[in-house]
């Protein structure tokens, strides 16, 4: 399709605006509809979550009621008869049973002896099965009551309570009731119909309903899980003119073969409201679009009519038809005025101005022709000689009027010789700031002295100021005519610039204009000799390498420049300010009050997002008597290291008594020790058992790293690991631990090991592939390996950790979240991390036997862990009392000295 040669500006504006408004209208309508449906979907998910919690609460309430009733009847039976229970014992409960069945709707009451023989029973008694027999045996064995929901032909709640006489179990009371109270309470609380179902042959079989029509309708419901909570499922079905929302709830999902519940609600009105809202938004958007188009078209037509009048007059100006152009531009000046009115006035003024300029130009051409004839002979004589010289050569009279100028003068000034001749030399060739002084000196000099005069002055050119060395001498005085001054100038700009540049670069940073390290140290040494006291601040920008890597070096340079501007704006201003290199700056202040100095440090730490100023860490050192530049910089650098150790946006004041220097030296020694141990293969794995509390047996072991000295001593691992993490060596250590742990598992199908990973390993996107290669080489099943990460390491980089851990879990490895409770302690993060075990930090476990606060906190942690479908592990279980509390609080696994101290792997595996 060929585009037309001419397309009106009206259509060039109208078509894109029309397209933009049409796209905006459709996008707005679609966005509103999408947001509304998303809100409805979220509301329904929240409703399903509440309904499932409501069902779980009602089930527990019914089970608790049955257990309490069974326990009361057991106590009543023991209190009313002194003889062992038999068939006649049950008749004692008849009056009690009749009251319970009338008042509470209980279905049946049964009494069993210790051999699980039914002694007597009342009400509708379903036959027992293997599950009920197993529960009876468990109650008789443990002497603890039990309860649950049993579904065979129908669903019943049951409660079992042991009959204890003299501390010995002599029988069991079993009480059962149907689900009518649960169904009724759910309908009253939620306003939804409810059915109880179990899966038979991949199809739901309804066992109880609140309304009979659910059985026929549920077959038309196609349930799909919610993406946010896959254990909840929902469906929408259209039956006749009605729309029904279905929810599949599984409050008993942890019980094998447990029934589930189906809730139904009529949402016809809500669905119709969504459709009506969409249509309303669409009609409204189209109406506004059409109205806007009409207004825009009318406005553009009026403006284009005025624009055409101006555009058609401009060619007449180009042809010199001034009168015709003014006639064409005649218009009525109406208020209020606008930009087109200004354009019309400007076109008229342009016509008049061009006519005047044309007349003046013709006269000037005549004058110039006469001047050219006069000067042509003189110019031809000197031009060949002077125009080849790379120097400014001109002549002037005693009043400073230029008589001649060579081509180099024209090139440098941007003016032609004709434009220069007759002009004042000082006005054209000397910069304004020096003009008055040199005029007086030059004219006065040749009034009393005929010797040449030399000086340097600035020349203003189109390219900027130039530094010119002038030599002036008198010529032509021999022939009796008025002598002229010959002025010869050499351009010294590049030489001066190179000298200044060399001097500048030796002391200043080119990016910021601040002192560089050399210039700063030289001036700091001088300042220390003059000032009795002062303070030095070293500033290091946070995450500057990430800015360079992610946004590019130009963005990094901009951050550096903005930081330099902030340093210049500080009040009181520092005596010295420098960029020492990279992202490190330095400030030296003369004596300041302590409060003002710390306020300045805090300001530098904060950063400014609007001005693109990064946060920073600041190290502060105060001058000491007779301190040198090197010692002061060293103290400030130590303080800066301490500030960085605290985290982003922190400051630290150097104190000789705080041991910072000694701590740094100690960390260096620790790093040397663990580096040598890694290279000499003197690392070892010790194993500590992790016990399943209910089974009372070790299910797996945690592999703990130990460092062996050449003389056989075992060093404490904590300071060595800290030094390795600070230096980055921890990645090599993690790889060593993984390789040796996988080698231990190889050939031992029953062994499961838990291995700790550092935060640095979470930065490695190749970790899943590396781990898979290790497992395949050793022939180890991924399920035998558990990887532990700390809560703080995971949550400091949550999104990256979630992706990495998902990749590891996809291999089949198990994951554990270590030290839970001491980091962010926010339960909602558990659902983002695909871990199987959550290890509660030992600081809360070791005080369970005497701290009620820690017991409450651990109970909340365990409930949250179980709520997200994960297993809880307690660390630091060091005695039987703590173990008992851990068991009562519902913890799944335990680890600590109570079960065994860490031992060498060979010793543990040999046993």
């Amino acid at each position: 399709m060929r585009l037309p040669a001419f397309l009106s500006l009206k259509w060039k504006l109208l078509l894109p605006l029309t397209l933009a408004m049409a796209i905006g209208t459709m996008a707005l309508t679609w966005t509103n509809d999408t947001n509304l449906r998303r809100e409805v979907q979220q509301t329904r998910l929240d409703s399903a979550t509440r309904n499932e919690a409501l069902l779980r609460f009602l089930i527990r309430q019914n089970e608790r009621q049955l257990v309490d009733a069974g326990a009361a009847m057991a106590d009543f039976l023991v209190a009313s008869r002194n003889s062992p229970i038999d068939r006649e014992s049950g008749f004692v409960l008849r009056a009690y049973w009749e009251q319970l069945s009338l008042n509470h709707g209980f279905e049946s009451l049964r009494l069993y002896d210790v051999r699980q023989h039914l002694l007597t029973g009342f009400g509708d008694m379903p036959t027992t099965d293997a599950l009920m027999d197993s529960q009876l045996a468990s109650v008789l064995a443990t002497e603890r009551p039990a309860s649950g929901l049993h579904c065979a032909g129908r669903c019943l709640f049951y409660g079992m309570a042991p009959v204890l006489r003299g501390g010995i179990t002599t029988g069991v009371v079993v009480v059962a009731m149907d689900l009518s109270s649960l169904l009724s309470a759910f309908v009253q609380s939620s306003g939804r119909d409810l059915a109880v179902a179990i899966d038979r042959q991949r199809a739901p079989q309804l066992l109880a309903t609140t309304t009979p029509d659910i059985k026929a309708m549920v077959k038309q419901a196609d349930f799909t899980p919610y993406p946010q909570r896959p254990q909840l499922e929902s469906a929408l079905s259209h039956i006749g003119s009605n729309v029904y929302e279905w929810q599949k709830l599984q409050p008993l999902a942890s019980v094998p073969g447990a029934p589930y519940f189906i809730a139904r609600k009529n949402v016809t009105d809500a669905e119709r409201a969504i459709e009506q809202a969409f249509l309303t938004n669409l009609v409204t958007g189209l109406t506004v679009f059409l109205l806007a188009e009409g207004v825009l078209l009318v406005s553009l037509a009026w403006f284009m009519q005025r624009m055409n009048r101006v555009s058609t007059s401009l060619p007449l100006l180009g042809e010199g038809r001034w009168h015709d152009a003014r006639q064409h531009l005649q218009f009525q000046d109406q208020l209020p005025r606008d930009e087109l009115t200004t354009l019309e006035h400007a076109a008229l003024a342009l016509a008049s101005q061009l006519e005047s300029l044309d007349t003046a130009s013709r006269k000037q051409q005549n004058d110039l022709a006469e001047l050219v004839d006069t000067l042509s002979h003189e110019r031809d004589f000197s031009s060949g000689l002077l125009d080849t010289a790379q120097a400014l050569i001109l002549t002037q009279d005693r009043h400073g009027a230029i008589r001649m100028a060579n081509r180099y003068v024209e090139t440098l000034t941007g003016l032609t010789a004709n434009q220069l001749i007759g002009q004042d030399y000082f006005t054209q060739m000397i910069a304004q700031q020096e003009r008055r002084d040199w005029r007086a000196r030059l004219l006065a000099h040749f009034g009393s002295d005929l010797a040449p005069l030399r000086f340097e002055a600035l020349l203003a050119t189109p390219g900027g100021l130039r530094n010119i060395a002038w030599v002036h001498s008198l010529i032509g005085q021999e022939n009796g005519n008025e002598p002229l001054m010959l002025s010869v100038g050499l351009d010294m700009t590049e030489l001066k610039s190179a000298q200044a540049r060399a001097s500048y670069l030796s002391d200043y940073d080119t990016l910021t204009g601040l002192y560089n390290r050399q210039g700063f140290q030289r001036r700091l040494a001088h300042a220390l000799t003059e000032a009795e006291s002062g303070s030095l601040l070293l500033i290091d920008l946070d995450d500057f390498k990430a800015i360079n890597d992610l946004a590019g070096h130009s963005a990094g340079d901009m951050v550096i420049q903005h930081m330099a501007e902030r340093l210049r704006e500080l009040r009181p201003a520092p005596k010295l300010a420098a960029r020492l290199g990279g992202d490190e700056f330095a400030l030296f202040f003369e004596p300041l009050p302590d409060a003002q100095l710390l306020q300045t440090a805090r300001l530098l730490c904060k950063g400014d997002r609007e001005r693109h100023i990064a946060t920073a860490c600041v190290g502060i050192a105060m001058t000491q008597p007779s301190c040198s530049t090197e010692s002061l910089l060293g103290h400030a650098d130590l303080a800066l290291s301490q500030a960085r150790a605290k985290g982003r946006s922190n400051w630290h004041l150097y104190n000789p008594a705080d041991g910072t220097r000694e701590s740094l030296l100690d960390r260096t020694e620790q790093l040397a020790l663990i580096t040598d141990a890694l290279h000499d293969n003197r690392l070892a794995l010790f194993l500590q058992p992790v016990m399943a509390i209910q089974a009372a047996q070790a299910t797996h072991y945690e592999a703990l790293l130990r460092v062996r000295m050449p003389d056989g001593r075992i060093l404490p691992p904590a300071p060595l690991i800290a030094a390795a993490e600070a230096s980055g060596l921890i990645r090599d250590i993690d790889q060593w631990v993984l390789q040796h742990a996988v080698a231990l598992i190889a050939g031992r199908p029953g062994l499961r090991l838990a291995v700790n990973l550092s935060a640095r390993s979470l930065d490695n996107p190749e970790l899943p592939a590396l781990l898979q290669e290790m497992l395949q080489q050793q022939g180890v099943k991924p399920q035998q390996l558990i990887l532990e990460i700390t809560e703080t390491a995971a949550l400091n980089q949550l999104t990256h950790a979630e992706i990495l851990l998902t990749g590891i879990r996809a291999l089949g490895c198990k994951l554990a979240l270590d030290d839970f409770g001491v980091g962010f302690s926010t339960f909602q993060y558990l659902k983002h991390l695909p871990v199987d075990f959550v290890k509660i930090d030992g600081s809360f476990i070791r005080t369970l036997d005497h701290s009620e606060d820690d017991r409450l906190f651990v109970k909340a942690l365990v409930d949250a862990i179980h709520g997200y479908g994960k297993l809880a592990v307690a660390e630091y279980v060091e005695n039987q009392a703590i173990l008992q509390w851990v068991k009562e609080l519902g913890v799944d696994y335990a680890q600590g000295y109570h079960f065994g101290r860490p031992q060498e792997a060979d010793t543990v595996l040999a046993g």
Side-chain angles (χ1 to χ4, degrees):
M1 179 180 176
R2 295 183 60 187
L3 295 176
F6 176 83
L7 184 63
S8 173
L9 184 61
K10 173 178 68 177
W11 296 110
K12 289 183 179 179
L13 292 174
L14 184 62
L15 291 178
L17 290 175
T18 300
L19 180 60
M21 287 192 293
I23 293 173
T25 300
M26 298 305 295
L28 182 60
T29 302
W30 178 83
T31 301
N32 290 338
D33 182 69
T34 301
N35 290 339
L36 179 59
R37 292 185 182 276
R38 188 181 295 116
E39 291 173 2
V40 170
Q41 184 70 5
Q42 183 62 40
T43 301
R44 289 174 179 171
L45 172 59
D46 296 341
S47 172
T49 304
R50 290 194 300 271
N51 291 339
E52 187 179 67
L54 175 61
L55 282 173
R56 192 177 292 113
F57 170 77
L58 293 174
I59 290 171
R60 291 178 180 172
Q61 188 180 49
N62 280 273
E63 291 178 357
R64 191 181 300 113
Q65 182 181 4
L66 289 172
V67 170
D68 293 342
M73 286 188 281
D75 294 341
F76 176 76
L77 185 62
V78 172
S80 60
R81 291 178 59 87
N82 294 324
S83 61
I85 64 171
D86 51 22
R87 291 183 179 276
E88 296 182 359
S89 301
F91 293 99
V92 176
L93 302 175
R94 177 179 295 277
Y96 203 177
W97 156 249
E98 292 175 352
Q99 181 182 1
L100 290 175
S101 63
L102 290 175
N103 295 340
H104 301 283
F106 287 8
E107 282 284 315
S108 66
L109 170 64
R110 285 174 282 180
L111 180 63
Y112 291 87
D113 61 13
V114 293
R115 293 185 297 279
Q116 298 184 226
H117 293 158
L118 179 64
L119 298 179
T120 185
F122 306 100
D124 185 8
M125 297 184 296
T127 59
T128 61
D129 55 12
L131 177 62
M132 296 295 291
D133 291 340
S134 173
Q135 287 291 80
L136 279 171
S138 175
V139 172
L140 289 170
T142 63
E143 299 183 354
R144 290 186 176 182
S147 62
L149 178 60
H150 178 257
C151 293
R154 56 185 297 204
C155 285
L156 293 174
F157 286 111
Y158 65 85
M160 300 181 181
V163 180
L164 299 175
R165 185 182 296 279
I168 299 175
T169 303
T170 59
V172 178
V173 175
V174 181
V175 187
M177 65 183 296
D178 60 17
L179 274 66
S180 59
S181 62
L182 181 142
L183 297 176
S184 174
F186 181 86
V187 172
Q188 291 178 1
S189 299
S190 69
R192 294 174 180 264
D193 298 323
L194 186 66
V196 185
I198 59 175
D199 287 327
R200 295 281 174 83
Q201 298 179 352
R202 298 183 179 179
Q205 178 183 351
L206 303 188
L207 303 179
T209 65
T210 56
T211 57
D213 60 341
I214 292 183
K215 292 185 177 180
M217 292 184 179
V218 75
K219 298 178 181 179
Q220 303 181 34
D222 184 14
F223 289 94
T224 57
Y226 286 101
Q228 301 94 325
R229 295 205 47 196
Q231 69 272 25
L232 296 178
E233 298 182 24
S234 68
L236 281 179
S237 64
H238 296 75
I239 301 175
S241 60
N242 292 325
V243 182
Y244 293 91
E245 178 201 2
W246 301 83
Q247 296 175 350
K248 183 183 285 188
L249 310 174
Q250 303 184 51
L252 301 174
S254 60
V255 180
Y260 56 88
F261 294 79
I262 297 176
R264 183 192 70 179
K265 183 178 181 181
N266 190 328
V267 294
T268 303
D269 293 338
E271 289 296 313
R272 289 176 180 171
I274 293 174
E275 294 176 359
Q276 185 62 38
F278 174 78
L279 293 176
T280 300
N281 288 337
L282 182 58
V283 172
T284 302
L286 290 176
T287 301
V288 173
F289 168 74
L290 293 175
L291 290 175
E293 278 295 291
V295 172
L296 183 60
L297 184 59
V298 172
S299 300
L300 286 176
W302 180 64
F303 280 112
M304 290 306 301
Q305 181 182 5
R306 298 172 60 191
M307 180 71 77
N308 289 335
R309 184 171 60 200
V310 177
S311 63
T312 54
S313 65
L314 294 179
L316 300 177
L317 297 179
E319 297 170 5
R321 297 164 58 185
W322 322 115
H323 179 74
D324 294 340
R326 280 195 293 271
Q327 290 294 329
H328 194 77
L329 287 171
Q330 294 299 323
F331 58 89
Q332 294 181 354
D333 194 0
Q334 298 179 350
L335 296 178
R337 297 179 178 178
D338 53 26
E339 289 81 358
L340 286 178
T341 304
T342 304
L343 181 60
E344 291 166 343
H345 283 286
L348 278 174
L350 179 61
S352 299
Q353 185 68 23
L354 287 176
E355 185 176 5
S356 300
L357 289 175
D358 183 68
T359 302
S361 176
R362 294 177 187 278
K363 181 179 182 299
Q364 186 178 20
Q365 288 176 1
N366 295 330
D367 295 338
L368 287 176
E370 295 176 2
L371 183 60
V372 167
D373 291 337
T374 304
L375 299 177
S376 59
H377 295 290
E378 182 178 353
R379 182 189 60 202
D380 293 339
F381 171 78
S382 59
S383 61
L385 176 64
L386 300 179
D387 289 345
T388 58
Q390 294 298 303
L392 294 90
I393 303 175
L394 53 82
T395 59
Q396 54 177 308
D397 60 21
R398 286 186 173 273
H399 303 289
I402 298 174
R403 296 292 184 86
M404 182 276 296
N406 72 341
R407 185 170 298 170
Y408 193 72
V409 175
E410 298 178 13
T411 301
L412 208 58
T413 61
L415 301 174
T416 66
N418 292 331
Q419 291 173 317
L420 288 169
I421 291 174
Q423 299 295 321
D424 182 64
Y425 163 81
F426 297 98
T427 302
Q428 297 298 328
M429 308 307 294
I430 305 296
Q432 183 176 2
Q433 58 267 35
E434 300 178 338
R435 189 175 301 158
R436 178 180 299 177
D437 292 340
W438 286 117
R439 179 190 295 274
R441 291 182 59 184
L442 179 60
L443 297 180
H445 173 79
F446 288 113
S448 58
D449 191 351
L450 300 180
L453 176 65
R454 296 175 175 82
F455 63 81
E456 290 187 13
L458 296 177
L459 168 62
T461 71
L465 294 176
R466 311 290 294 180
N467 196 293
I468 308 298
W470 291 100
V471 178
H472 302 278
S473 57
L474 287 177
I475 60 174
Q477 66 269 35
E478 295 86 358
N479 55 15
N481 295 327
E482 181 182 1
L484 299 177
M485 280 186 284
L486 174 64
S487 300
V488 179
L490 295 178
D491 189 353
M492 309 294 289
T493 305
E494 283 70 20
L495 177 61
K496 295 287 185 180
S497 177
Q499 293 174 344
R501 182 71 174 171
S503 175
Y504 180 85
L505 290 177
S506 66
D507 282 348
Y508 290 89
D509 175 61
T510 57
L511 180 61
T512 62
L514 302 176
Y515 290 124
N516 58 19
R517 181 179 293 274
Q518 176 180 331
F520 179 75
Q521 289 181 339
R522 184 160 54 245
R523 286 162 177 81
L524 178 61
H526 180 70
L528 292 178
T529 61
E530 293 181 345
E532 297 180 357
S533 61
S535 53
L536 176 64
L537 277 67
L538 286 187
I539 305 150
D540 184 66
L541 302 184
D542 294 329
D543 299 329
F544 182 71
K545 183 179 183 301
I547 295 173
N548 272 337
D549 293 344
L550 296 177
H553 288 279
S554 59
D557 290 347
M558 186 178 297
V559 171
I560 292 294
Q561 289 170 339
H562 288 168
M563 188 63 184
E565 288 300 321
R566 163 169 279 196
L567 299 184
R568 292 188 181 96
E569 295 169 358
L570 288 176
R571 293 295 180 271
K575 182 178 180 62
L576 299 174
R579 179 191 177 203
L580 301 184
D583 60 340
E584 189 173 359
F585 295 84
L587 299 175
F588 180 75
F589 287 93
E590 292 183 331
L592 282 179
D594 292 347
Q596 196 168 17
L597 179 63
L598 297 183
Q599 181 180 0
T600 301
R602 294 188 187 100
L603 174 65
L604 296 173
C605 289
K606 287 181 180 179
D608 190 331
R609 183 181 296 272
E610 293 182 357
R611 298 177 59 191
H612 302 287
I613 297 176
T615 60
C617 291
V618 179
I620 309 171
M622 309 298 291
T623 58
Q624 305 294 330
S626 302
C627 72
S628 65
T629 303
E630 290 75 13
S631 63
L632 183 60
L633 284 169
H635 295 165
D637 195 50
L638 286 174
L640 180 59
S641 299
Q642 290 294 97
R644 288 197 200 100
K646 297 177 184 177
R648 294 165 49 88
S649 188
N650 269 295
W651 59 271
H652 185 81
L653 176 63
Y654 174 76
N655 182 1
D658 64 6
T660 303
R661 181 182 180 86
E662 291 73 13
S663 174
L664 183 60
L665 293 174
D666 181 65
R667 180 178 294 181
T668 304
E669 293 175 359
Q670 297 288 347
L671 180 60
L673 286 175
I674 196 168
T675 302
D676 292 342
L678 178 62
H679 292 163
D680 299 342
N681 199 26
R682 285 189 283 102
L683 301 180
L685 292 181
F686 279 44
L687 304 184
Q688 185 177 32
V690 179
M691 308 294 291
I693 295 178
Q694 296 300 327
Q697 64 180 7
T699 59
H700 62 277
Y701 295 86
E702 181 177 0
L704 302 171
L705 183 67
R706 295 293 184 265
V707 178
R708 196 187 306 275
M709 294 294 289
D711 59 4
R713 290 183 297 116
I714 301 297
L715 296 181
L720 298 171
I721 295 299
E725 286 182 338
S727 68
L729 183 66
I730 193 67
R731 282 189 176 179
D732 296 336
I733 295 174
D734 281 350
Q735 187 169 353
W736 186 96
V737 172
L738 282 173
Q739 290 175 341
H740 285 73
V742 172
L744 282 177
I745 298 173
R748 298 181 175 90
L751 178 62
R752 296 172 66 207
L753 289 184
V755 176
N756 290 279
L757 283 182
S758 69
R760 291 292 185 98
S761 290
L762 295 182
D763 293 333
N764 183 10
E766 302 298 327
L767 181 60
L770 179 65
L771 187 59
Q772 184 179 21
E773 182 181 355
M774 289 183 185
L775 295 172
Q776 290 177 347
Q777 288 178 351
Q778 297 286 352
V780 172
K781 295 181 180 179
Q783 294 80 2
Q784 293 179 259
L785 184 63
I786 303 170
L787 299 179
E788 296 187 5
I789 61 170
T790 63
E791 176 192 14
T792 304
L795 299 187
N796 278 341
Q797 41 186 336
L798 180 61
T799 302
H800 180 70
E802 184 178 1
I803 296 172
L804 189 70
L805 296 180
T806 301
I808 294 175
R809 203 166 189 268
L811 300 177
C813 298
K814 301 293 184 181
L815 295 170
L817 186 63
D818 202 3
D819 299 337
F820 186 69
V822 298
F824 289 75
S825 301
T826 303
F827 297 156
Q828 64 174 339
Y829 288 110
L830 285 178
K831 68 181 179 182
H832 294 290
L833 297 174
V835 297
D836 304 279
F837 304 92
V838 178
K839 302 185 73 172
I840 303 173
D841 189 72
S843 61
F844 306 110
I845 301 298
R846 58 160 53 105
T847 57
L848 286 180
D849 55 346
H850 60 270
S851 173
E852 179 66 23
D853 290 341
D854 284 344
R855 289 197 288 269
L856 292 174
F857 185 66
V858 171
K859 177 61 177 172
L861 292 180
V862 172
D863 288 344
I865 293 168
H866 287 166
Y868 286 107
K870 307 178 192 305
L871 298 174
V873 183
E875 300 180 300
Y876 288 84
V877 177
E878 299 179 348
N879 55 54
Q880 182 63 33
I882 295 177
L883 176 60
Q884 186 62 33
W885 275 111
V886 166
K887 186 184 298 184
E888 292 184 12
L889 293 174
V891 178
D892 303 290
Y893 295 87
Q895 176 182 358
Y897 287 172
H898 183 64
F899 306 108
R901 292 177 177 270
Q903 301 183 50
E904 291 193 40
D906 294 340
T907 303
V908 174
L909 298 178

